[in-house]
Amino acid sequence: MDTTQRTDQQRSADRRRRELLEAADRVVLRDGPQASMNAIAAEAGITKPILYRHFGDKSGLYAALAQRHTDALLASLRAALDAPADRRERVEATLDTYLAAIEARPQVYRFLMHPAEGTQSSDQGFDVGQHSVPLLRRMGEELAQVIEERLDLGPGSQQLARVWGHGIVGMMHAAGDWWLGERPCSRAELVRSLADLLWGRLAAAGDRVGGPGF
Amino acid sequence: MDTTQRTDQQRSADRRRRELLEAADRVVLRDGPQASMNAIAAEAGITKPILYRHFGDKSGLYAALAQRHTDALLASLRAALDAPADRRERVEATLDTYLAAIEARPQVYRFLMHPAEGTQSSDQGFDVGQHSVPLLRRMGEELAQVIEERLDLGPGSQQLARVWGHGIVGMMHAAGDWWLGERPCSRAELVRSLADLLWGRLAAAGDRVGGPGF
DNA sequence: ACGTACATGTTACTAGCGGTAACCCGAGTC
DNA sequence: GACTCGGGTTACCGCTAGTAACATGTACGT
């Protein structure tokens, strides 16, 4: 029948798709998030329409590309979160894993945080949501789930866990972004400072004596 | 001499500039962050080259546009931060101010978080930094300053304050973005949850009894 | 052996973008 | 009147995302 044939074709198509993704990866790594479809096609040794046949449009390609890296990053984060250690150590390990990842491959990081460029979505107006970076959303939800199933937060725990998940991920992201740009301290110091923040040192700190304006 | 003349011209130029910015504002509010220069020029009743004479290029216009809103938002945040109340109240007021702002004018918010689109900067490669949203950086630095001059953090306080400033801003931003998209709870609840997080409830929470994998 | 269906690939194009060069015109000045 | 000069326009360039139409190889049924 055509079933065997179809699987064959599908396999070949999948191989091609993976090759194209790897080419795209190389180009994005070199040219940043604004890599053009032409450039990607050239890198892959073919021409544009093929890319469009495989991925629909640019955002399709970018989504596929982003998902690979996102999956990889999420896997290593999960490993750090699930390690058998006490809470503080796990939090620090997770922060460090994330920061090490963005430090090791900043171009990938840059791309992952930016894939929502010239989408020109059909609707004009009110959606407002989902413009944000999918990676952040996924990390937030993931962390929320871990928090909720590990911690005893009393009533409303699910909602609280989700707020915290997204909040902590945002904290990590913004601090990491700033740190990557300015490099004001070592990674270990950054991790420690952020963990201290989460551990309530902000609330525990004393007022400055003789502060500005008495 | 020409000094009076120059001021006259400058005044007129500034007026035009403000008019153009208001037109751009309207278009961005309507079309989102990918509003085209053509559209903005049309809204202002003129043609493209004038925009370019005034603002250099698109990122120049967007920067000017963003600064107005950024300044306004930062002013109200400063007010909340400087209110005469205890720390927890001030933190909650600041969070609430920010969230109320993005809730009231989501399109503006969306624009402010997105202005780094098709810049096609000359350099190819390594800068990595400064791709991030200027508003977030400014808020982070501002908050860092407040923290550092108000709190007694011991040695290394300046760096710690900066990490916390950017981290807290990122937390606020990510949580706000997620909340704006899903609206899972009221603003007040969100504020309370985030403040709880900053107050160390994460560290203080007990382990879930009979948790997964002991 | 022949036609046919189909995936794979190409060339050549459209529409729209950011950005610019060249020209145009009215107002003030010597 | 000639002359500059600020504000404005038309017409263009090079680039992008995306597409239509055409070419080619290859397995299949009859």
Side-chain angles (χ1 to χ4, degrees):
Chain A
M1 302 289 192
D2 46 7
T3 59
T4 63
Q5 214 176 12
R6 254 210 233 138
T7 51
D8 260 15
Q9 288 171 194
Q10 225 168 12
R11 259 165 220 233
S12 140
D14 278 9
R15 255 214 337 262
R16 286 279 188 276
R17 189 188 164 95
R18 235 171 292 168
E19 290 172 14
L20 298 186
L21 277 178
E22 282 175 28
D25 219 2
R26 267 171 275 147
V27 175
V28 163
L29 219 85
R30 168 160 41 81
D31 295 356
Q34 75 276 17
S36 82
M37 294 298 265
N38 260 325
I40 294 173
E43 170 72 28
I46 45 109
T47 51
K48 272 194 300 178
I50 304 183
L51 284 181
Y52 284 94
R53 283 228 248 276
H54 274 268
F55 301 103
D57 63 353
K58 188 177 184 175
S59 70
L61 199 173
Y62 274 39
L65 200 50
Q67 203 167 51
R68 297 173 105 207
H69 293 116
T70 301
D71 288 347
L73 178 55
L74 275 177
S76 53
L77 289 180
R78 242 180 305 238
L81 274 171
D82 285 347
D86 77 2
R87 196 179 303 165
R88 169 93 187 204
E89 278 177 63
R90 281 197 321 255
V91 165
E92 292 198 359
T94 307
L95 289 169
D96 194 67
T97 299
Y98 172 83
L99 294 170
I102 72 172
E103 184 182 26
R105 304 177 59 193
Q107 306 277 18
V108 171
Y109 159 71
R110 184 174 185 161
F111 164 73
L112 285 178
M113 295 305 179
H114 239 283
E117 307 254 317
T119 50
Q120 173 150 312
S121 68
S122 53
D123 63 330
Q124 49 169 14
F126 289 120
D127 62 315
V128 169
Q130 57 252 36
H131 58 89
S132 180
V133 186
L135 169 59
L136 289 180
R137 292 292 174 107
R138 282 184 68 189
M139 289 198 297
E141 288 297 326
E142 200 90 16
L143 180 55
Q145 199 178 321
V146 172
I147 290 175
E148 214 254 330
E149 79 189 17
R150 294 279 193 96
L151 265 57
D152 181 15
L153 295 173
S157 70
Q158 195 183 337
Q159 221 166 60
L160 196 57
R162 293 186 80 204
V163 171
W164 287 7
H166 290 282
I168 292 173
V169 164
M171 179 202 79
M172 184 171 77
H173 164 235
D177 193 273
W178 162 77
W179 172 75
L180 206 58
E182 304 205 4
R183 291 303 186 110
C185 61
S186 75
R187 207 172 73 212
E189 285 176 299
L190 180 60
V191 167
R192 212 172 119 70
S193 301
L194 289 175
D196 277 355
L197 176 58
L198 289 174
W199 251 250
R201 252 189 86 188
L202 174 72
D207 281 317
R208 194 141 219 165
V209 297
F214 44 87
Chain B
M1 297 310 266
D2 48 7
T3 59
T4 62
Q5 219 175 7
R6 250 209 241 140
T7 51
D8 261 15
Q9 287 171 196
Q10 226 169 11
R11 261 168 219 229
S12 139
D14 279 9
R15 256 214 337 262
R16 287 281 187 280
R17 189 186 163 94
R18 236 169 291 167
E19 291 172 14
L20 297 186
L21 278 177
E22 283 176 28
D25 220 1
R26 267 171 274 147
V27 175
V28 163
L29 220 85
R30 168 160 41 82
D31 294 356
Q34 74 277 19
S36 83
M37 293 299 264
N38 260 325
I40 293 173
E43 169 73 27
I46 44 111
T47 51
K48 273 194 300 178
I50 304 182
L51 284 182
Y52 284 94
R53 284 229 243 277
H54 274 267
F55 300 103
D57 63 352
K58 189 179 184 175
S59 70
L61 197 173
Y62 274 40
L65 200 50
Q67 201 166 53
R68 299 173 104 207
H69 293 117
T70 300
D71 288 346
L73 179 55
L74 274 177
S76 52
L77 288 180
R78 242 180 305 238
L81 273 170
D82 286 346
D86 77 2
R87 197 179 301 164
R88 168 94 188 203
E89 278 177 62
R90 281 196 323 255
V91 166
E92 292 198 358
T94 307
L95 288 169
D96 194 67
T97 300
Y98 172 83
L99 294 170
I102 73 172
E103 184 182 27
R105 304 175 61 191
Q107 306 276 18
V108 171
Y109 160 70
R110 183 173 186 163
F111 164 74
L112 284 178
M113 295 304 177
H114 240 282
E117 308 253 318
T119 49
Q120 173 149 315
S121 68
S122 52
D123 65 328
Q124 50 170 12
F126 289 119
D127 62 314
V128 168
Q130 57 253 35
H131 58 91
S132 177
V133 185
L135 169 58
L136 289 181
R137 293 291 174 108
R138 282 184 69 188
M139 289 198 297
E141 288 297 326
E142 200 91 19
L143 180 54
Q145 199 177 322
V146 172
I147 290 176
E148 213 256 329
E149 79 187 18
R150 294 280 193 94
L151 264 58
D152 182 15
L153 296 173
S157 70
Q158 195 183 337
Q159 221 167 60
L160 196 58
R162 293 186 80 203
V163 171
W164 287 8
H166 289 282
I168 293 172
V169 164
M171 179 202 79
M172 183 171 78
H173 164 235
D177 193 274
W178 163 76
W179 171 74
L180 205 58
E182 303 206 5
R183 292 305 185 109
C185 61
S186 75
R187 208 171 74 212
E189 284 176 299
L190 179 61
V191 168
R192 211 171 120 70
S193 301
L194 289 176
D196 277 355
L197 176 59
L198 289 175
W199 252 250
R201 252 190 86 189
L202 174 70
D207 280 318
R208 197 141 218 166
V209 298
F214 38 88

